Amino acid sequence: MRTFDTVVIGGGPAGLAAATAAHENGAKTLLIEREARLGGILKQCIHDGFGLVRFGEKLSGPEYAERFIDAFCKADIPAMTLTFVTRIAPKENGGFHVTLVSRDGVETVEAKTLVLSTGCRERTAKQVSIHGTRPAGVFTAGTAQHLTNLLGELPTKRCVILGSGDIGLIMARRLTLEGAKVLGVYEAKPTPSGLTRNIHQCLHDYNIPLYLSHTVTRVFGDDRLTAVEIAEVDDKMQPLAGTEQILECDALILSVGLIPENELAESLGVEIDPKTKGPLCNGQLMTSVDGVFSCGNALHVNDLVDYVSESGECAGKNAALYVRKKRQEIPINAAKMLSYIVPQRLNLDADNHETVLYFRSRDILNGCTLKMRINGEEAFSKKYPFLRPPEMERLTVDFSKYPLDASSEIEFDIEVKANG
Ligand SMILES: Cc1cc2nc3c(=O)[nH]c(=O)nc-3n(C[C@H](O)[C@H](O)[C@H](O)COP(=O)(O)OP(=O)(O)OC[C@H]3O[C@@H](n4cnc5c(N)ncnc54)[C@H](O)[C@@H]3O)c2cc1C
């Protein structure tokens, strides 16, 4: 049986960064990817806007991925593509057996530590309950992107986009550029879900209308979609009777959210945060199971790939440096004004002098202050002119400055000026 110090599962930007960092920190590393090529979702993201934070350049997805693939290949780290991880079983005295399926058959390898960088999956029509028939022509935005950008097949000539997530906004522009008519982007919430820059660059610049507080209630068509029914919704997102209208189209593109892909993590008993739908982790990105690390979109849905790579590097490095010992962890809680904070725990036995935290606000907030309280006492604060839920925020905190012990509780909250 082949044995490795660190096995990284998923060869997207998170996994590439994790494998390279693990190797650089002395671990004998293996990267496993189920697709034929490394790069993950970036392979199909041919628009630019990647790498602004990390490289100060506007790269396309494949260009960004190429930089990490080059570094990975230069380090000569073994990678198995067209290989799917089907099962992970903990070994009795630490470590894991990882079962792989590839063209060569089934193999089990041994790993001391694991990095889970399996990305996320898109919500489908089933998860947003749309009534009607089941015709062809209902695609997730990522599938439409795969067909258009990788296979060169235009999936629609006239479509409606449901949901204003970034992938939907990007596909509204992409399909328009390819000659399709995008009738509009319909969003059930009163505010857009995607980044402000994408609302401007993908919709406003191409005169594609955005309808807030609207949803698709029904689809029509036998073999292929022929029309959809649109309705306005109330503040509980329930369709308002009498507002229905029928739009003729041949496709409905869904951009209704992403869910971290964590089946392998769950099979290992990794605790999942109901807010992020990713593993609960500490500042070193180790999950609740010793030796199992998580990063990228499998950990929480990131809006910028730069932070995906950053979390990959953190998980890979810490997986390589992992020494099995008892952890002393205290909670990092997100109060009600935050939709979540990652990491959710702090390991008092680890080096926490440069802990990177990622968070999102629950609502659109202007003139606000992020406050960190330790046992109810304010310990740190940072002012923000505004915070918006689609835009993830990043913060570095030196926790070594604070007198923390096993009974300490850390809480982050946001205070808004009375007239803010
Ligand atoms: C349409 C779209 C547009 C975007 N636009 C931007 C942008 O403009 N700017 C920006 O900065 N970011 C953008 N992003 C975000 C960025 O692409 C993602 O955050 C990033 O790709 C996530 O990286 P990841 O490695 O976590 O996951 P992924 O890229 O999804 O990689 C996960 C990999 O794991 C593999 N895998 C999963 N399960 C297994 C298994 N069991 N066995 C083996 N392999 C497995 C998958 O095949 C995949 O290759 C965009 C994302 C999308 C989808």
Side-chain angles (χ1 to χ4, degrees):
M1 189 183 292
R2 293 194 290 158
T3 61
F4 297 89
D5 295 320
T6 302
V7 168
V8 178
I9 304 169
L16 285 164
T20 308
H23 170 84
E24 280 168 358
N25 284 279
K28 184 182 172 201
T29 304
L30 172 69
L31 176 68
I32 300 165
E33 167 56 50
R34 67 182 168 196
E35 293 190 354
R37 288 191 295 138
L38 299 174
I41 202 78
L42 295 184
K43 297 194 291 294
Q44 64 186 60
C45 299
I46 61 168
H47 58 282
D48 68 9
F50 296 83
L52 274 171
V53 178
R54 194 177 185 105
F55 300 115
E57 283 180 69
K58 260 170 125 184
L59 304 171
S60 68
E63 282 172 329
Y64 183 94
E66 201 58 39
R67 296 198 178 185
F68 287 85
I69 293 171
D70 285 350
F72 174 81
C73 292
K74 214 169 151 193
D76 210 14
I77 303 162
M80 295 177 75
T81 51
L82 287 175
T83 303
F84 191 77
V85 174
T86 53
R87 186 163 180 266
I88 308 175
K91 283 172 54 201
E92 240 170 53
N93 28 2
F96 305 89
H97 280 139
V98 182
T99 306
L100 324 167
V101 181
S102 72
R103 282 159 298 176
D104 298 328
V106 180
E107 181 188 357
T108 298
V109 297
E110 219 174 273
K112 286 191 190 126
T113 57
L114 296 173
V115 178
L116 305 177
S117 48
T118 45
C120 59
R121 65 166 85 129
E122 294 175 281
R123 275 182 210 276
T124 61
K126 277 226 164 105
Q127 285 154 309
V128 286
S129 58
I130 297 170
H131 300 284
T133 51
R134 287 289 171 264
V138 181
F139 304 102
T140 63
T143 302
Q145 189 178 50
H146 180 85
L147 289 166
T148 313
N149 294 349
L150 290 184
L151 304 185
E153 307 271 359
L154 193 62
T156 174
K157 291 192 177 119
R158 188 181 162 86
C159 68
V160 159
I161 297 186
L162 175 62
S164 59
D166 287 309
I167 318 177
L169 303 178
I170 285 158
M171 282 317 289
R173 174 178 65 183
R174 182 80 189 106
L175 293 168
T176 304
L177 286 170
E178 288 297 333
K181 177 76 188 158
V182 178
L183 298 173
V185 174
Y186 293 82
E187 167 60 61
K189 288 189 285 180
T191 52
S193 303
L195 297 174
T196 311
R197 78 166 196 221
N198 283 337
I199 300 285
H200 288 287
Q201 292 172 2
C202 301
L203 300 188
H204 295 173
D205 289 358
Y206 292 83
N207 293 322
I208 301 167
L210 170 64
Y211 300 96
L212 298 171
S213 302
H214 278 75
T215 193
V216 170
T217 42
R218 190 171 286 272
V219 294
F220 303 93
D222 293 328
D223 295 337
R224 177 82 194 198
L225 186 94
T226 52
V228 297
E229 182 187 75
I230 304 285
E232 281 178 42
V233 296
D234 61 19
D235 53 6
K236 293 189 183 69
M237 289 205 252
Q238 292 307 309
L240 291 166
T243 64
E244 300 87 355
Q245 50 167 316
I246 307 290
L247 297 180
E248 280 180 23
C249 55
D250 64 11
L252 171 65
I253 312 261
L254 301 169
S255 179
V256 286
L258 300 166
I259 311 166
E261 174 84 66
N262 276 303
E263 273 167 18
L264 290 173
E266 282 176 58
S267 75
L268 279 167
V270 164
E271 233 179 293
I272 301 290
D273 181 345
K275 292 179 183 163
T276 58
K277 313 265 189 295
L280 281 168
C281 65
N282 62 22
Q284 289 65 44
L285 303 189
M286 181 150 76
T287 67
S288 58
V289 174
D290 281 344
V292 178
F293 295 76
S294 173
C295 56
N297 278 358
L299 176 59
H300 64 121
V301 175
N302 289 253
D303 44 17
L304 295 183
V305 72
D306 312 66
Y307 300 137
V308 165
S309 304
E310 179 180 56
S311 70
E313 282 162 348
C314 176
K317 175 180 163 196
N318 286 301
L321 301 181
Y322 169 70
V323 186
R324 198 176 168 76
K325 61 177 181 189
K326 229 173 150 32
R327 295 190 244 174
Q328 207 192 158
E329 287 186 347
I330 56 169
I332 302 178
N333 294 326
K336 64 178 191 307
M337 298 296 267
L338 281 86
S339 69
Y340 72 76
I341 193 154
V342 170
Q344 301 90 338
R345 287 171 182 171
L346 193 75
N347 180 5
L348 296 181
D349 294 330
D351 174 5
N352 297 311
H353 84 279
E354 255 188 354
T355 305
V356 178
L357 297 140
Y358 306 101
F359 71 92
R360 290 179 195 266
S361 65
R362 186 173 295 283
D363 295 309
I364 296 178
L365 303 172
N366 292 316
C368 43
T369 308
L370 178 82
K371 301 217 161 170
M372 180 177 89
R373 298 192 189 96
I374 298 175
N375 299 332
E377 296 285 317
E378 186 179 320
F380 167 88
S381 71
K382 184 175 175 191
K383 284 193 165 52
Y384 290 84
F386 56 81
L387 288 169
R388 299 194 177 107
E391 277 147 45
M392 192 187 81
E393 298 292 334
R394 176 192 182 277
L395 179 76
T396 308
V397 177
D398 178 359
F399 283 107
S400 65
K401 285 200 315 210
Y402 304 102
L404 296 165
D405 61 34
S407 65
S408 304
E409 246 184 62
I410 303 169
E411 184 186 71
F412 281 84
D413 199 2
I414 303 168
E415 274 182 21
V416 185
K417 271 193 268 167
N419 58 354

